[in-house]
Amino acid sequence: MDAATTSAESAPASAPASAPAAAPGVLDRRAAQGGSQTRGAQGVIGQGAAPTEAAQGTTAAPAAYAQPAAVTLNPMLIRTGTAIVQVDSLERGIARLRQLAARMGGLVGNTTMTAGSDETRQATVELRIPSARFDEAVNGLSPIGKVESANVTAEDVGEEFTDVTARVANARRLEARLLELLETRNGRLEEVLNMEREVARVREEIERMDGRLRYLQTRASISTLTVTLHEPQTVIGAPGERPIRDAFVSAWRNFVGLIAGLIATLGWLIPLSIALYFAWRGWRWIRRRELARDAEYREAIRRERLKATAPDEPAIHP
């Protein structure tokens, strides 16, 4: 009783006093209409929110184009470098290059040294350096000596690597398909042999492309740096204080050198001259004998002719 009285007393405070009490059916209909109105309002709000979201999406799209996501560059490059370095000592320079290669985790390949009496001593050293430390190795040439020139070239083989990888995948699928057909094939022997030859051909192509991929990976991971070391060139000085005297001294030395050369040639010139002299004397002796024989022969012929043409002497009678 008290609860009903309390609710009845509170009802006039919240609603106008003149409003009659509604029947339960009317209240249910009003509640249903209110719910539908509420849902309609929510739908209107949702429809209004949709353009807002679309507008936000339209606004966010240019922002996405304006600020693209970060792209990680990981190219497959074959880097090759050449450098010319002037050093004070060729041996110390080569030793420092070996130390540099060991410090970079690389190794020393081909090494060539050239020297001569009138040439500058130089050496060519080939270094194999990991690509990740190639730039550090190039910068490490400065403490070794004076870097006169440095040239680095890069060949991008990423496209070839991707293409060969795709072809390997296709070839592997083809090989699997051929093996599957070969297992389920029950045809003539010739057809089976042809399919086996095709499988062998595909396998050979796969191995060849795998080798090419390994080569590209190895070449991209190891860079080549060819360093040419040379000592300072000898500078020809200016003429001395007495160039005329120095010129005469040089001429005298050249003359003495010429005489020494002639004397040195006597070692084979004298025996050759003696041999030629005796050969000439022998030729003359033979020639004289031949001439003497010819003269005697002519003289004998002349006498024979004289005897043949002489008149007979008359006989003497007693």
Side-chain angles (χ1 to χ4, degrees):
M1 186 68 180
D2 295 337
T5 305
T6 304
S7 61
E9 291 178 353
S10 60
S14 61
S18 60
V26 176
L27 290 176
D28 294 338
R29 288 194 299 271
R30 288 180 179 178
Q33 292 176 359
S36 62
Q37 291 175 0
T38 304
R39 287 192 298 269
Q42 291 177 355
V44 173
I45 293 173
Q47 293 176 0
T52 305
E53 294 176 356
Q56 291 178 355
T58 306
T59 307
Y65 285 109
Q67 296 179 358
V71 179
T72 303
L73 295 178
N74 188 18
M76 181 172 287
L77 301 177
I78 298 178
R79 306 182 68 184
T80 306
T82 57
I84 300 177
V85 182
Q86 177 180 332
V87 294
D88 296 333
S89 175
L90 201 61
E91 288 75 12
R92 285 199 299 268
I94 295 175
R96 289 184 178 180
L97 279 180
R98 294 182 181 275
Q99 295 174 0
L100 176 64
R103 191 166 61 252
M104 296 295 110
L107 51 89
V108 177
N110 301 327
T111 302
T112 306
M113 296 183 63
T114 58
S117 58
D118 298 332
E119 298 180 0
T120 304
R121 297 178 62 203
Q122 65 178 7
T124 301
V125 183
E126 184 180 273
L127 305 180
R128 301 294 180 88
I129 307 295
S131 299
R133 309 191 67 180
F134 182 75
D135 294 332
E136 184 179 354
V138 174
N139 295 331
L141 297 177
S142 299
I144 297 177
K146 180 183 177 183
V147 180
E148 297 180 351
S149 66
N151 184 24
V152 178
T153 58
E155 180 185 359
D156 190 357
V157 295
E159 182 179 359
E160 180 183 359
F161 185 84
T162 304
D163 180 60
V164 176
T165 303
R167 286 192 291 169
V168 168
N170 294 332
R172 291 187 187 280
R173 286 194 292 268
L174 177 59
E175 181 189 20
R177 179 60 178 166
L178 290 175
L179 291 176
E180 182 181 357
L181 292 176
L182 186 60
E183 292 176 357
T184 59
R185 185 75 176 179
N186 293 324
R188 293 181 302 175
L189 179 61
E190 184 179 358
E191 295 178 355
V192 175
L193 292 178
N194 290 336
M195 191 168 294
E196 288 182 351
R197 282 193 290 268
E198 183 66 16
V199 171
R201 186 191 65 80
V202 174
R203 168 50 52 185
E204 181 181 358
E205 185 177 357
I206 291 174
E207 292 177 355
R208 181 178 58 82
M209 290 188 291
D210 282 340
R212 181 62 180 175
L213 290 178
R214 288 192 296 269
Y215 170 77
L216 293 177
Q217 289 176 342
T218 303
R219 290 290 288 113
S221 61
I222 301 296
S223 300
T224 303
L225 178 60
T226 304
V227 183
T228 301
L229 304 175
H230 70 87
E231 295 179 347
Q233 297 181 355
T234 304
V235 180
I236 300 176
E241 297 179 356
R242 291 171 288 186
I244 303 300
R245 193 203 68 172
D246 295 340
F248 277 110
V249 171
S250 179
W252 173 254
R253 289 177 179 175
N254 294 334
F255 175 73
V256 172
L258 177 63
I259 298 301
L262 292 177
I263 294 174
T265 57
L266 294 178
W268 58 269
L269 185 61
I270 292 177
L272 180 62
S273 300
I274 294 174
L276 291 176
Y277 173 75
F278 282 107
W280 177 73
R281 290 293 302 269
W283 178 79
R284 286 193 62 184
W285 180 76
I286 294 173
R287 184 62 177 170
R288 286 177 180 175
R289 290 194 61 182
E290 291 179 352
L291 293 176
R293 289 177 181 177
D294 292 341
E296 291 177 358
Y297 178 73
R298 294 192 189 96
E299 184 66 21
I301 292 175
R302 189 179 66 81
R303 289 177 181 177
E304 290 293 335
R305 288 178 179 177
L306 291 176
K307 289 181 180 180
T309 57
D312 297 334
E313 295 180 358
I316 302 174
H317 298 283

